[in-house]
Structure formats: structure tokens, C-alpha cells
Coordinates of all heavy atoms in Angstrom, one line a residue:
M10 N 23.6 -104.2 -69.6 CA 23.2 -103.5 -68.4 C 22.1 -102.5 -68.8 O 22.2 -101.8 -69.8 CB 24.5 -102.6 -68.0 CG 24.2 -101.7 -66.8 SD 25.8 -101.2 -66.2 CE 25.4 -99.5 -65.7
D11 N 21.1 -102.5 -68.0 CA 19.9 -101.5 -68.2 C 20.5 -100.1 -67.9 O 21.2 -99.9 -67.0 CB 18.8 -101.9 -67.2 CG 17.6 -101.2 -67.4 OD1 17.7 -100.0 -67.9 OD2 16.5 -101.7 -67.2
N12 N 20.1 -99.2 -68.8 CA 20.5 -97.9 -68.6 C 20.1 -97.2 -67.3 O 20.7 -96.2 -66.8 CB 20.1 -96.9 -69.7 CG 18.6 -96.7 -69.8 OD1 17.8 -97.4 -69.2 ND2 18.2 -95.9 -70.7
L13 N 19.2 -97.8 -66.6 CA 18.7 -97.3 -65.2 C 19.5 -97.9 -64.1 O 19.3 -97.5 -63.0 CB 17.2 -97.4 -65.1 CG 16.3 -96.6 -66.0 CD1 14.8 -96.9 -65.7 CD2 16.6 -95.1 -65.8
D14 N 20.2 -99.0 -64.4 CA 21.0 -99.7 -63.3 C 21.9 -98.8 -62.6 O 22.2 -98.9 -61.4 CB 21.7 -100.9 -63.9 CG 20.7 -102.1 -64.2 OD1 19.6 -102.0 -63.7 OD2 21.2 -103.0 -64.9
A15 N 22.5 -97.8 -63.3 CA 23.5 -96.9 -62.7 C 22.9 -95.8 -62.1 O 23.5 -95.0 -61.4 CB 24.5 -96.5 -63.8
W16 N 21.6 -95.5 -62.2 CA 21.0 -94.4 -61.7 C 20.5 -94.6 -60.3 O 20.1 -95.8 -59.9 CB 19.7 -94.2 -62.5 CG 19.0 -92.9 -62.1 CD1 19.1 -91.7 -62.7 CD2 17.9 -92.7 -61.2 NE1 18.3 -90.7 -62.1 CE2 17.5 -91.4 -61.2 CE3 17.2 -93.6 -60.3 CZ2 16.5 -90.8 -60.4 CZ3 16.2 -93.1 -59.5 CH2 15.9 -91.7 -59.5
H17 N 20.7 -93.7 -59.4 CA 20.3 -93.8 -58.0 C 19.7 -92.5 -57.5 O 20.1 -91.5 -58.0 CB 21.5 -94.2 -57.1 CG 22.6 -93.3 -57.1 ND1 22.6 -92.2 -56.3 CD2 23.7 -93.3 -57.8 CE1 23.7 -91.5 -56.5 NE2 24.4 -92.1 -57.5
L18 N 18.8 -92.6 -56.6 CA 18.1 -91.5 -56.1 C 18.9 -90.8 -55.1 O 19.5 -91.4 -54.1 CB 16.8 -91.9 -55.4 CG 15.9 -90.8 -54.7 CD1 15.5 -89.8 -55.8 CD2 14.8 -91.4 -54.0
T19 N 19.1 -89.5 -55.2 CA 19.9 -88.7 -54.2 C 19.1 -87.5 -53.8 O 18.6 -86.8 -54.8 CB 21.3 -88.3 -54.6 OG1 21.9 -87.5 -53.6 CG2 21.3 -87.6 -55.9
P20 N 19.0 -87.1 -52.5 CA 18.2 -85.9 -52.2 C 19.1 -84.7 -52.3 O 18.6 -83.5 -52.1 CB 17.8 -86.3 -50.8 CG 18.9 -87.1 -50.3 CD 19.4 -88.0 -51.4
D21 N 20.3 -84.8 -52.6 CA 21.3 -83.6 -52.7 C 21.2 -82.9 -54.1 O 21.2 -83.8 -55.1 CB 22.6 -84.0 -52.4 CG 22.8 -84.6 -50.9 OD1 22.1 -84.1 -50.1 OD2 23.5 -85.6 -50.8
A22 N 21.0 -81.7 -54.1 CA 21.0 -81.0 -55.3 C 21.7 -79.6 -55.2 O 22.2 -79.3 -54.1 CB 19.5 -80.7 -55.7
F23 N 21.9 -78.9 -56.3 CA 22.5 -77.6 -56.3 C 21.7 -76.6 -57.0 O 21.1 -76.9 -58.0 CB 23.9 -77.8 -56.9 CG 24.8 -78.7 -56.1 CD1 24.9 -80.0 -56.5 CD2 25.6 -78.2 -55.1 CE1 25.8 -80.8 -55.8 CE2 26.4 -79.0 -54.4 CZ 26.5 -80.4 -54.7
V24 N 21.8 -75.3 -56.5 CA 21.1 -74.2 -57.2 C 22.3 -73.3 -57.5 O 23.0 -72.8 -56.7 CB 20.1 -73.5 -56.3 CG1 19.6 -72.3 -57.0 CG2 19.0 -74.4 -55.9
P25 N 22.5 -73.1 -58.9 CA 23.6 -72.2 -59.3 C 23.2 -70.8 -59.1 O 22.2 -70.4 -59.6 CB 23.9 -72.7 -60.8 CG 22.5 -73.2 -61.2 CD 21.9 -73.8 -60.0
I26 N 24.1 -70.0 -58.7 CA 24.0 -68.5 -58.6 C 25.2 -67.8 -59.0 O 26.3 -68.4 -58.8 CB 23.5 -68.0 -57.2 CG1 24.5 -68.2 -56.1 CG2 22.2 -68.6 -56.9 CD1 24.2 -67.4 -54.8
T27 N 25.1 -66.6 -59.4 CA 26.3 -65.8 -59.8 C 26.1 -64.4 -59.1 O 25.1 -63.8 -59.2 CB 26.5 -65.6 -61.2 OG1 26.6 -66.9 -61.9 CG2 27.7 -64.7 -61.6
I28 N 27.2 -64.1 -58.3 CA 27.2 -62.8 -57.6 C 28.2 -61.8 -58.4 O 29.4 -62.2 -58.6 CB 27.7 -62.9 -56.2 CG1 26.8 -63.9 -55.5 CG2 27.7 -61.5 -55.6 CD1 27.3 -64.3 -54.0
R29 N 27.7 -60.7 -58.9 CA 28.6 -59.8 -59.6 C 28.7 -58.5 -58.8 O 27.7 -58.0 -58.4 CB 27.9 -59.5 -61.0 CG 27.8 -60.6 -61.9 CD 27.1 -60.2 -63.2 NE 26.8 -61.4 -64.0 CZ 27.7 -62.0 -64.8 NH1 28.9 -61.6 -64.9 NH2 27.2 -63.1 -65.5
H30 N 29.9 -58.2 -58.5 CA 30.2 -57.1 -57.6 C 30.9 -56.0 -58.3 O 31.8 -56.2 -59.0 CB 30.9 -57.5 -56.3 CG 31.3 -56.4 -55.5 ND1 30.5 -55.8 -54.5 CD2 32.5 -55.6 -55.4 CE1 31.1 -54.8 -53.9 NE2 32.3 -54.7 -54.4
F31 N 30.5 -54.7 -58.1 CA 31.3 -53.6 -58.7 C 31.4 -52.6 -57.6 O 30.4 -52.1 -57.0 CB 30.5 -53.0 -59.9 CG 30.4 -54.0 -61.0 CD1 29.1 -54.7 -61.1 CD2 31.4 -54.2 -61.9 CE1 29.0 -55.6 -62.2 CE2 31.2 -55.2 -62.9 CZ 30.0 -55.9 -63.0
G32 N 32.6 -52.2 -57.3 CA 32.8 -51.1 -56.3 C 33.8 -51.4 -55.2 O 34.6 -52.4 -55.4
S33 N 33.7 -50.8 -54.2 CA 34.6 -51.0 -53.0 C 34.3 -52.3 -52.3 O 33.3 -52.9 -52.5 CB 34.5 -49.8 -52.1 OG 33.2 -49.6 -51.5
E34 N 35.2 -52.7 -51.4 CA 35.1 -53.9 -50.7 C 33.8 -54.0 -49.9 O 33.4 -53.1 -49.2 CB 36.3 -54.1 -49.7 CG 36.2 -55.5 -49.1 CD 37.5 -55.7 -48.2 OE1 37.5 -55.1 -47.1 OE2 38.3 -56.5 -48.6
T35 N 33.1 -55.1 -50.1 CA 31.8 -55.4 -49.5 C 31.7 -56.8 -49.0 O 32.2 -57.7 -49.6 CB 30.6 -55.1 -50.5 OG1 30.7 -53.8 -51.0 CG2 29.3 -55.3 -49.8
S36 N 31.2 -56.9 -47.8 CA 31.0 -58.3 -47.3 C 29.7 -58.9 -47.7 O 28.7 -58.2 -47.8 CB 31.1 -58.2 -45.8 OG 30.2 -57.4 -45.1
Y37 N 29.7 -60.2 -47.9 CA 28.6 -61.0 -48.4 C 28.4 -62.2 -47.6 O 29.4 -62.7 -47.1 CB 28.8 -61.4 -49.9 CG 28.6 -60.3 -50.9 CD1 29.7 -59.4 -51.2 CD2 27.4 -60.1 -51.6 CE1 29.6 -58.5 -52.2 CE2 27.3 -59.1 -52.6 CZ 28.4 -58.3 -52.9 OH 28.3 -57.3 -53.8
Y38 N 27.3 -62.9 -47.7 CA 27.1 -64.2 -47.3 C 25.9 -64.8 -48.2 O 25.2 -64.0 -48.8 CB 26.8 -64.4 -45.8 CG 25.6 -63.8 -45.2 CD1 24.4 -64.5 -45.2 CD2 25.6 -62.6 -44.6 CE1 23.2 -63.9 -44.7 CE2 24.5 -62.0 -44.1 CZ 23.4 -62.7 -44.1 OH 22.2 -62.2 -43.6
I39 N 25.8 -66.1 -48.2 CA 24.7 -66.8 -48.9 C 23.8 -67.4 -47.9 O 24.2 -68.0 -47.0 CB 25.3 -67.8 -49.9 CG1 26.1 -67.1 -50.9 CG2 24.2 -68.5 -50.6 CD1 26.9 -68.0 -51.8
E40 N 22.4 -67.4 -48.3 CA 21.5 -68.0 -47.4 C 20.5 -68.8 -48.3 O 20.3 -68.5 -49.5 CB 20.7 -66.9 -46.5 CG 19.9 -66.0 -47.3 CD 19.3 -64.9 -46.3 OE1 19.8 -64.6 -45.2 OE2 18.2 -64.5 -46.7
V41 N 19.9 -69.8 -47.6 CA 18.9 -70.6 -48.2 C 17.7 -70.6 -47.3 O 17.8 -70.9 -46.1 CB 19.4 -72.1 -48.5 CG1 18.3 -72.9 -49.0 CG2 20.5 -72.1 -49.4
N42 N 16.6 -70.2 -47.9 CA 15.3 -70.2 -47.1 C 15.5 -69.4 -45.9 O 15.1 -69.9 -44.8 CB 14.7 -71.6 -46.9 CG 14.3 -72.2 -48.1 OD1 14.0 -71.6 -49.1 ND2 14.3 -73.5 -48.1
N43 N 16.2 -68.2 -45.9 CA 16.4 -67.3 -44.8 C 17.3 -67.9 -43.8 O 17.3 -67.4 -42.6 CB 15.1 -66.8 -44.2 CG 14.2 -66.2 -45.2 OD1 14.7 -65.3 -46.0 ND2 12.9 -66.4 -45.2
Q44 N 18.1 -68.9 -44.0 CA 19.1 -69.4 -43.1 C 20.5 -69.2 -43.7 O 20.7 -69.6 -44.8 CB 18.9 -70.9 -42.8 CG 17.6 -71.2 -42.2 CD 17.5 -70.7 -40.8 OE1 18.4 -70.7 -40.0 NE2 16.4 -70.0 -40.4
Q45 N 21.4 -68.5 -43.0 CA 22.7 -68.3 -43.5 C 23.5 -69.6 -43.7 O 23.5 -70.5 -42.7 CB 23.5 -67.4 -42.5 CG 24.9 -67.0 -43.0 CD 25.6 -66.0 -42.1 OE1 24.9 -65.3 -41.4 NE2 26.9 -65.9 -42.2
V46 N 24.1 -69.9 -44.9 CA 24.8 -71.2 -45.1 C 26.3 -71.1 -45.4 O 26.8 -72.1 -45.7 CB 24.0 -72.0 -46.2 CG1 22.6 -72.4 -45.9 CG2 24.1 -71.2 -47.5
T47 N 26.7 -69.9 -45.4 CA 28.2 -69.6 -45.6 C 28.7 -68.6 -44.6 O 27.9 -67.9 -44.0 CB 28.5 -69.0 -47.0 OG1 28.0 -67.7 -47.1 CG2 28.0 -69.9 -48.2
D48 N 30.0 -68.7 -44.5 CA 30.6 -67.6 -43.7 C 30.6 -66.3 -44.4 O 30.4 -66.3 -45.6 CB 32.1 -68.0 -43.3 CG 32.2 -69.1 -42.4 OD1 31.3 -69.4 -41.6 OD2 33.2 -69.9 -42.5
V49 N 30.8 -65.2 -43.8 CA 30.9 -64.0 -44.5 C 32.2 -63.9 -45.3 O 33.3 -64.4 -44.8 CB 30.9 -62.7 -43.5 CG1 31.2 -61.4 -44.2 CG2 29.6 -62.7 -42.7
F50 N 32.1 -63.5 -46.6 CA 33.3 -63.4 -47.4 C 33.2 -62.0 -48.1 O 32.2 -61.2 -48.0 CB 33.3 -64.5 -48.5 CG 32.1 -64.5 -49.3 CD1 32.0 -63.8 -50.6 CD2 30.9 -65.2 -49.0 CE1 30.9 -63.9 -51.3 CE2 29.8 -65.4 -49.7 CZ 29.7 -64.6 -51.0
F51 N 34.4 -61.5 -48.6 CA 34.5 -60.2 -49.2 C 34.7 -60.2 -50.7 O 35.4 -61.1 -51.2 CB 35.7 -59.4 -48.5 CG 35.5 -59.3 -47.0 CD1 35.9 -60.2 -46.1 CD2 34.8 -58.1 -46.6 CE1 35.7 -60.0 -44.8 CE2 34.5 -57.9 -45.2 CZ 35.0 -58.9 -44.3
M52 N 34.1 -59.2 -51.4 CA 34.3 -59.0 -52.7 C 34.7 -57.5 -53.0 O 34.2 -56.7 -52.2 CB 33.0 -59.4 -53.5 CG 32.6 -60.8 -53.4 SD 31.2 -61.4 -54.3 CE 31.8 -61.3 -56.0
D53 N 35.6 -57.3 -54.0 CA 36.1 -55.9 -54.3 C 36.3 -55.8 -55.7 O 36.5 -56.7 -56.5 CB 37.4 -55.9 -53.5 CG 37.9 -54.4 -53.4 OD1 37.1 -53.5 -53.6 OD2 39.2 -54.2 -53.2
G54 N 36.2 -54.5 -56.2 CA 36.5 -54.2 -57.6 C 35.4 -54.7 -58.4 O 34.3 -54.4 -58.2
E55 N 35.8 -55.5 -59.4 CA 34.7 -56.0 -60.4 C 34.7 -57.6 -60.2 O 34.7 -58.3 -61.2 CB 35.0 -55.6 -61.8 CG 34.9 -54.2 -61.9 CD 35.2 -53.7 -63.4 OE1 35.3 -54.6 -64.3 OE2 35.3 -52.5 -63.6
D56 N 34.6 -58.1 -59.0 CA 34.7 -59.5 -58.7 C 33.3 -60.2 -59.2 O 32.3 -59.6 -59.1 CB 34.7 -59.8 -57.2 CG 36.2 -59.5 -56.6 OD1 37.1 -59.4 -57.5 OD2 36.3 -59.5 -55.4
I57 N 33.5 -61.4 -59.7 CA 32.4 -62.2 -60.1 C 32.6 -63.6 -59.4 O 33.6 -64.2 -59.5 CB 32.3 -62.4 -61.6 CG1 32.0 -61.0 -62.3 CG2 31.1 -63.4 -61.9 CD1 32.0 -61.1 -63.8
L58 N 31.5 -64.0 -58.8 CA 31.6 -65.4 -58.0 C 30.5 -66.2 -58.6 O 29.3 -65.8 -58.4 CB 31.6 -65.2 -56.5 CG 31.5 -66.5 -55.7 CD1 32.8 -67.3 -55.9 CD2 31.2 -66.2 -54.3
A59 N 30.7 -67.4 -59.2 CA 29.7 -68.4 -59.6 C 29.8 -69.5 -58.6 O 30.9 -70.0 -58.4 CB 29.9 -68.8 -61.0
V60 N 28.8 -69.9 -58.0 CA 28.8 -70.9 -56.9 C 27.5 -71.8 -57.1 O 26.4 -71.4 -57.5 CB 28.9 -70.4 -55.5 CG1 27.7 -69.5 -55.2 CG2 29.1 -71.4 -54.5
D61 N 27.7 -73.1 -56.9 CA 26.5 -74.1 -56.8 C 26.2 -74.2 -55.4 O 27.0 -74.8 -54.6 CB 26.9 -75.4 -57.5 CG 27.1 -75.3 -58.9 OD1 26.5 -74.5 -59.6 OD2 27.9 -76.1 -59.5
V62 N 25.1 -73.7 -55.0 CA 24.7 -73.7 -53.5 C 24.0 -75.1 -53.3 O 23.0 -75.4 -53.9 CB 23.7 -72.5 -53.2 CG1 23.3 -72.6 -51.8 CG2 24.4 -71.2 -53.5
P63 N 24.5 -75.8 -52.3 CA 23.9 -77.2 -52.0 C 22.6 -77.0 -51.3 O 22.4 -76.2 -50.4 CB 24.9 -77.9 -51.1 CG 25.7 -76.7 -50.5 CD 25.7 -75.6 -51.4
V64 N 21.6 -77.8 -51.7 CA 20.3 -77.9 -51.0 C 20.0 -79.4 -50.9 O 20.5 -80.2 -51.6 CB 19.2 -77.1 -51.8 CG1 19.5 -75.7 -51.8 CG2 19.0 -77.7 -53.2
T65 N 19.1 -79.7 -50.0 CA 18.6 -81.1 -49.8 C 17.1 -81.2 -50.0 O 16.4 -80.5 -49.3 CB 19.0 -81.6 -48.4 OG1 20.5 -81.5 -48.2 CG2 18.7 -83.1 -48.2
L66 N 16.7 -82.1 -50.9 CA 15.3 -82.3 -51.1 C 14.7 -83.2 -50.0 O 15.4 -84.2 -49.7 CB 15.1 -82.9 -52.5 CG 15.5 -82.0 -53.7 CD1 15.7 -82.9 -54.9 CD2 14.3 -81.1 -53.9
E67 N 13.5 -83.0 -49.7 CA 12.9 -83.9 -48.8 C 12.3 -85.1 -49.6 O 12.0 -84.9 -50.8 CB 11.7 -83.2 -48.1 CG 12.1 -82.1 -47.2 CD 10.9 -81.3 -46.7 OE1 9.8 -81.8 -46.8 OE2 11.1 -80.3 -46.1
N68 N 12.2 -86.3 -49.0 CA 11.8 -87.5 -49.7 C 10.2 -87.4 -49.8 O 9.6 -88.1 -49.0 CB 12.3 -88.7 -49.1 CG 12.0 -89.9 -50.0 OD1 11.7 -89.8 -51.2 ND2 12.2 -91.1 -49.5
R69 N 9.7 -86.6 -50.6 CA 8.2 -86.5 -50.8 C 7.9 -86.1 -52.2 O 8.7 -85.7 -52.9 CB 7.6 -85.5 -49.8 CG 8.2 -84.1 -50.1 CD 7.5 -83.1 -49.1 NE 8.0 -81.7 -49.2 CZ 7.5 -80.9 -50.1 NH1 6.5 -81.2 -50.9 NH2 8.0 -79.6 -50.1
H70 N 6.6 -86.3 -52.5 CA 6.1 -86.0 -53.8 C 5.9 -84.5 -54.0 O 5.6 -83.8 -53.0 CB 4.8 -86.7 -54.2 CG 5.1 -88.2 -54.3 ND1 5.7 -88.8 -55.3 CD2 4.7 -89.2 -53.5 CE1 5.7 -90.1 -55.2 NE2 5.1 -90.4 -54.0
G71 N 6.0 -84.0 -55.2 CA 5.6 -82.6 -55.4 C 6.9 -81.7 -55.4 O 8.0 -82.1 -55.0
A72 N 6.7 -80.5 -55.9 CA 7.8 -79.5 -55.9 C 8.1 -79.0 -54.6 O 7.3 -79.0 -53.7 CB 7.3 -78.4 -56.9
Q73 N 9.4 -78.7 -54.5 CA 9.9 -78.0 -53.3 C 10.6 -76.7 -53.7 O 11.4 -76.7 -54.7 CB 10.9 -79.0 -52.6 CG 10.2 -80.2 -52.1 CD 11.2 -81.3 -51.6 OE1 12.0 -81.0 -50.8 NE2 11.2 -82.5 -52.3
M74 N 10.2 -75.6 -53.0 CA 10.7 -74.3 -53.3 C 12.0 -74.0 -52.4 O 12.0 -74.3 -51.2 CB 9.6 -73.3 -53.1 CG 8.5 -73.5 -54.0 SD 8.8 -73.4 -55.7 CE 9.3 -71.7 -55.9
F75 N 13.0 -73.5 -53.1 CA 14.2 -73.0 -52.3 C 14.4 -71.6 -52.7 O 14.4 -71.2 -53.9 CB 15.4 -73.8 -52.7 CG 15.3 -75.2 -52.2 CD1 14.8 -76.2 -53.1 CD2 15.7 -75.6 -51.0 CE1 14.8 -77.6 -52.6 CE2 15.6 -76.9 -50.6 CZ 15.1 -77.9 -51.4
K76 N 14.6 -70.7 -51.7 CA 15.0 -69.2 -52.0 C 16.4 -69.2 -51.6 O 16.8 -69.2 -50.4 CB 14.0 -68.3 -51.1 CG 14.3 -66.9 -51.4 CD 13.3 -66.0 -50.8 CE 13.8 -65.5 -49.5 NZ 12.9 -64.5 -48.8
V77 N 17.2 -68.9 -52.7 CA 18.7 -68.8 -52.5 C 19.0 -67.4 -52.7 O 18.7 -66.8 -53.7 CB 19.4 -69.7 -53.4 CG1 21.0 -69.6 -53.3 CG2 19.0 -71.2 -53.2
C78 N 19.7 -66.7 -51.7 CA 20.0 -65.4 -51.7 C 21.5 -65.1 -51.5 O 22.1 -65.7 -50.7 CB 19.2 -64.6 -50.7 SG 17.4 -64.8 -50.7
S79 N 22.0 -64.0 -52.1 CA 23.2 -63.4 -51.7 C 22.9 -62.2 -50.9 O 22.0 -61.4 -51.4 CB 24.1 -63.0 -53.0 OG 23.4 -62.0 -53.8
V80 N 23.5 -62.0 -49.8 CA 23.2 -60.9 -49.0 C 24.5 -60.1 -48.8 O 25.6 -60.5 -48.5 CB 22.8 -61.4 -47.5 CG1 22.5 -60.2 -46.6 CG2 21.5 -62.3 -47.6
A81 N 24.4 -58.7 -49.2 CA 25.5 -57.8 -49.1 C 25.3 -56.9 -47.9 O 24.2 -56.4 -47.6 CB 25.5 -57.0 -50.4
L82 N 26.3 -56.6 -47.2 CA 26.3 -55.9 -46.0 C 27.0 -54.5 -46.3 O 28.1 -54.5 -46.6 CB 26.9 -56.5 -44.8 CG 26.3 -58.0 -44.5 CD1 27.2 -58.7 -43.5 CD2 24.9 -57.9 -44.1
H83 N 26.3 -53.4 -46.2 CA 26.7 -52.1 -46.5 C 26.7 -51.3 -45.3 O 25.8 -50.5 -45.1 CB 25.9 -51.5 -47.6 CG 25.7 -52.3 -48.8 ND1 26.5 -52.5 -49.8 CD2 24.5 -52.9 -49.1 CE1 26.0 -53.4 -50.8 NE2 24.7 -53.6 -50.3
G84 N 27.8 -51.4 -44.4 CA 27.7 -50.7 -43.2 C 26.5 -51.1 -42.3 O 26.3 -52.2 -41.9
S85 N 25.6 -50.1 -42.1 CA 24.4 -50.4 -41.2 C 23.2 -50.9 -42.1 O 22.1 -51.1 -41.6 CB 24.1 -49.2 -40.4 OG 23.7 -48.1 -41.3
L86 N 23.4 -51.0 -43.4 CA 22.4 -51.4 -44.4 C 22.8 -52.8 -44.9 O 23.9 -53.1 -45.0 CB 22.2 -50.4 -45.5 CG 21.7 -49.0 -45.0 CD1 21.6 -48.1 -46.2 CD2 20.3 -49.2 -44.5
G87 N 21.8 -53.5 -45.4 CA 22.0 -54.8 -46.2 C 21.1 -54.8 -47.4 O 20.1 -54.1 -47.4
S88 N 21.5 -55.6 -48.3 CA 20.7 -55.8 -49.5 C 20.6 -57.3 -49.8 O 21.7 -58.0 -49.5 CB 21.1 -55.1 -50.7 OG 22.4 -55.4 -51.1
R89 N 19.5 -57.8 -50.2 CA 19.4 -59.3 -50.6 C 18.9 -59.4 -52.0 O 17.9 -58.8 -52.4 CB 18.4 -59.8 -49.5 CG 18.2 -61.3 -49.7 CD 17.0 -61.8 -48.7 NE 17.7 -61.9 -47.4 CZ 17.5 -61.3 -46.3 NH1 16.5 -60.3 -46.3 NH2 18.1 -61.4 -45.2
I90 N 19.6 -60.2 -52.8 CA 19.2 -60.5 -54.1 C 18.9 -62.0 -54.1 O 19.9 -62.9 -53.8 CB 20.2 -60.1 -55.2 CG1 20.4 -58.6 -55.1 CG2 19.8 -60.6 -56.6 CD1 21.5 -58.1 -56.1
C91 N 17.7 -62.5 -54.6 CA 17.4 -63.9 -54.4 C 16.9 -64.5 -55.7 O 16.5 -63.9 -56.6 CB 16.2 -64.0 -53.4 SG 16.5 -63.3 -51.7
T92 N 17.0 -65.8 -55.7 CA 16.7 -66.7 -56.8 C 15.6 -67.7 -56.1 O 16.0 -68.3 -55.2 CB 17.8 -67.4 -57.4 OG1 18.7 -66.5 -58.1 CG2 17.3 -68.4 -58.5
K93 N 14.5 -67.9 -56.8 CA 13.6 -69.0 -56.3 C 13.7 -70.1 -57.3 O 13.5 -69.9 -58.4 CB 12.1 -68.5 -56.2 CG 11.9 -67.5 -55.1 CD 10.4 -67.1 -55.0 CE 10.2 -66.1 -53.9 NZ 8.8 -65.8 -53.7
A94 N 14.0 -71.2 -56.7 CA 14.2 -72.5 -57.4 C 13.1 -73.4 -57.1 O 12.9 -73.7 -55.9 CB 15.6 -73.1 -57.3
E95 N 12.4 -74.0 -58.1 CA 11.5 -75.1 -57.8 C 12.2 -76.4 -58.2 O 12.5 -76.6 -59.4 CB 10.3 -74.9 -58.6 CG 9.1 -75.9 -58.4 CD 7.9 -75.6 -59.2 OE1 7.8 -74.5 -59.7 OE2 7.1 -76.5 -59.3
L96 N 12.4 -77.3 -57.3 CA 13.1 -78.6 -57.6 C 12.1 -79.7 -57.2 O 11.3 -79.5 -56.3 CB 14.3 -78.7 -56.8 CG 15.4 -77.6 -56.9 CD1 16.5 -77.9 -56.0 CD2 15.8 -77.5 -58.4
F97 N 12.2 -80.8 -57.8 CA 11.4 -82.0 -57.5 C 12.1 -83.3 -57.7 O 13.0 -83.3 -58.6 CB 10.1 -82.0 -58.3 CG 10.3 -81.8 -59.8 CD1 10.4 -82.8 -60.6 CD2 10.3 -80.5 -60.3 CE1 10.6 -82.6 -62.0 CE2 10.5 -80.3 -61.7 CZ 10.6 -81.4 -62.5
L98 N 11.8 -84.3 -57.0 CA 12.4 -85.6 -57.2 C 11.8 -86.4 -58.4 O 10.7 -86.3 -58.7 CB 12.2 -86.5 -56.0 CG 12.9 -86.0 -54.8 CD1 12.5 -86.9 -53.5 CD2 14.5 -86.1 -54.8
I99 N 12.7 -87.1 -59.1 CA 12.2 -87.9 -60.2 C 12.6 -89.3 -59.8 O 13.7 -89.7 -59.6 CB 12.9 -87.5 -61.5 CG1 12.5 -86.1 -61.9 CG2 12.4 -88.5 -62.6 CD1 13.3 -85.5 -63.1
E100 N 11.6 -90.2 -59.8 CA 11.8 -91.6 -59.5 C 12.0 -92.5 -60.8 O 11.2 -92.3 -61.7 CB 10.7 -92.2 -58.7 CG 10.6 -91.6 -57.3 CD 9.6 -92.2 -56.5 OE1 9.4 -93.6 -56.4 OE2 8.7 -91.6 -55.8
A101 N 13.0 -93.3 -60.8 CA 13.2 -94.2 -61.9 C 12.3 -95.4 -61.8 O 12.1 -95.9 -60.7 CB 14.6 -94.6 -62.0
T102 N 11.7 -95.8 -62.9 CA 10.9 -97.0 -62.9 C 11.5 -98.0 -63.9 O 11.9 -97.6 -64.9 CB 9.4 -96.8 -63.1 OG1 9.4 -96.1 -64.4 CG2 8.8 -95.9 -62.0
K103 N 11.4 -99.2 -63.6 CA 11.9 -100.3 -64.6 C 10.7 -101.0 -65.1 O 9.7 -101.1 -64.6 CB 12.8 -101.3 -63.8 CG 14.1 -100.7 -63.5 CD 15.1 -101.7 -63.0 CE 16.4 -101.2 -62.7 NZ 17.4 -102.2 -62.3

């Protein structure tokens, strides 16, 4: 069996992020490219959440940029901490 026989192209990928919270209960959500992709969830105390955020690559050549953010809501204020990920498709050739 050729080692590439089991390989298949998938446009689905993940961007790993970690949210570290210290303090009183705060509501959060996660967004990709300025679009909310999770429901609002709460973190309290010294919570740490590691999550692989799903993204979908377009079937095209070249790098694709994803801005993945955790958004914290503090009463009438909000804060956004973001990671920029550059992902690209790799095609197998035989």
C-alpha cells in the first residue's frame, strides 16, 4: 500500500486556543473572522479552557487567514483577544 493511499484532502481544520481567566464570573464567546461561533459561556475563578476552534478552508491555492478570538463581556464593556492563523491546503501527488 502506497503511504499516500490513506491520505485524503479535507477542508476542515482546527485552530487551537487557550483562554485563561482570573477573577469573578465573566461571560465569553468565541468568534472566527468577526463572526460569533459559540454560545455565550461563563468562566470563574482561575478557569482555563483549551479548545480547538473548527474552521473550513476554501478549495483554492494560497494561504488563508483566520482571526480566532475569545471575547469577554464585562458589563457594558467587552475585550477581544485574538490569534491570527495562516492555513493552507497541501495536495498529495503520486
